[in-house]
Amino acid sequence: MVLESLKKTLSLLASTPVLWVPGIVMGLFGLLDLAAQYSLGEFVAGRMWIIEMVVVPFFVGALMHVIREGQGTTGVFLQGGLKYYFRILIPTVLIAFAVILTVILLLVPLSIMGIALEMLPFIAAGSAVGIFFFTFFYDAAAVFEDAKVFDSIRRSIEVVLRNPGAVILFYIVILAFFAAILLIFALIWTAILYDSLTPLIGMDTSMIESFTPDDLIALIGPRGVAITAVLYMAAAAITFPFVYTYKSAFFQKYAQQAEPEHLQGEYDTKGRWYKY
């Protein structure tokens, strides 16, 4: 059934061109981010994620609404983005806040125990993975079931708990796709910039360990940065539509199996429940 969702994903992407628009936009953001890092510095580029966080819910809602309605028109696309914007944005902020709060609550006892602050990135990553595993489908619930803020998070958890095996396979497919895209574009990047990267071959272990992103930018130069930005944009333009279309197809397939049971019965005069 997971493969059925994957087949539906590929079919939707092939037959509905407007689904690629969010990926192109996210790719442009990635290009601008890399360009800002090169020309304006890390301080400015590091704050572009705020703009992206504000924009992403619009395109997620638009993409999923197109799939829900089965109409790939510009009007349906824009309508979905506007209609579901806040239903996706608010849970996104709440989940991000939950990750931050969890990290803080874990950090306090670990600090008392003498755990080094160097463990903070691992603690943050572990907390984020654990929370995202169960809440990943909140945006799909908001669009396909018109769920409100907390209901969308609850429905995501229900889908995961009722279909754990399928959800794990879903994540495996996503990770395999990421790995394939990363490998393909890394090979292309290396092939194009082979001459610029040649000095890395002669470096010893200590030199490589001290090698920084700024050193890499200086090594590949403006041309290399431009090529990197274009390839990054292309990878994002492919990855974003695939992930969210696949998520939509998967949720549509498995959400019905996570519907809460509606028991039929009645209360007696003493308030006791009798199931039919």
Side-chain angles (χ1 to χ4, degrees):
M1 294 178 72
V2 175
L3 294 179
E4 290 180 14
S5 300
L6 182 59
K7 290 173 61 178
K8 181 179 179 181
T9 298
L10 299 176
S11 175
L12 286 169
L13 290 173
S15 61
T16 316
V18 74
L19 295 179
W20 294 97
V21 172
I24 295 172
V25 173
M26 293 303 106
L28 288 173
F29 269 112
L31 187 150
L32 292 175
D33 184 37
L34 289 176
Q37 288 186 37
Y38 180 76
S39 58
L40 301 177
E42 188 67 31
F43 179 81
V44 176
R47 279 147 185 78
M48 288 190 66
W49 68 270
I50 299 176
I51 300 175
E52 295 179 26
M53 186 175 180
V54 172
V55 171
V56 166
F58 174 87
F59 288 99
V60 172
L63 181 150
M64 290 185 172
H65 185 63
V66 166
I67 296 174
R68 172 181 171 171
E69 298 299 317
Q71 301 178 38
T73 64
T74 303
V76 172
F77 183 86
L78 296 175
Q79 181 187 32
L82 294 173
K83 181 178 180 180
Y84 297 105
Y85 179 76
F86 287 105
R87 290 193 186 186
I88 295 175
L89 176 64
I90 296 174
T92 302
V93 174
L94 289 176
I95 292 171
F97 178 77
V99 172
I100 295 171
L101 182 61
T102 302
V103 171
I104 294 174
L105 293 175
L106 289 174
L107 191 60
V108 173
L110 290 176
S111 299
I112 296 174
M113 295 168 59
I115 305 297
L117 290 177
E118 286 76 8
M119 294 296 294
L120 181 59
F122 300 100
I123 296 171
S127 302
V129 169
I131 292 174
F132 290 152
F133 181 87
F134 290 99
T135 61
F136 189 65
F137 299 97
Y138 71 94
D139 43 14
V143 175
F144 293 106
E145 297 183 352
D146 285 313
K148 296 181 180 179
V149 174
F150 292 103
D151 288 336
S152 64
I153 297 175
R154 176 183 58 80
R155 282 293 290 149
S156 176
I157 296 173
E158 287 179 355
V159 171
V160 173
L161 291 178
R162 289 177 179 266
N163 305 278
V167 170
I168 291 173
L169 287 176
F170 167 83
Y171 286 126
I172 290 174
V173 172
I174 293 292
L175 291 175
F177 181 81
F178 272 120
I181 291 294
L182 179 62
L183 177 61
I184 291 171
F185 280 90
L187 290 174
I188 296 173
W189 182 77
T190 303
I192 296 176
L193 298 177
Y194 179 79
D195 292 337
S196 299
L197 297 173
T198 301
L200 291 175
I201 300 175
M203 292 185 179
D204 56 27
T205 304
S206 60
M207 295 176 65
I208 293 176
E209 290 178 350
S210 62
F211 202 73
T212 66
D214 290 336
D215 294 331
L216 179 61
I217 290 176
L219 185 66
I220 62 178
R223 172 178 172 272
V225 172
I227 292 173
T228 303
V230 171
L231 291 176
Y232 183 88
M233 180 184 70
I238 296 172
T239 302
F240 192 92
F242 174 83
V243 170
Y244 281 94
T245 303
Y246 186 34
K247 181 198 290 193
S248 300
F250 182 90
F251 185 85
Q252 286 180 309
K253 185 73 174 180
Y254 287 91
Q256 293 180 352
Q257 301 180 28
E259 287 286 352
E261 295 182 5
H262 298 284
L263 301 179
Q264 295 184 344
E266 63 180 8
Y267 290 95
D268 63 10
T269 56
K270 294 184 179 181
R272 292 174 297 189
W273 171 261
Y274 289 93
K275 178 182 175 182
Y276 291 148

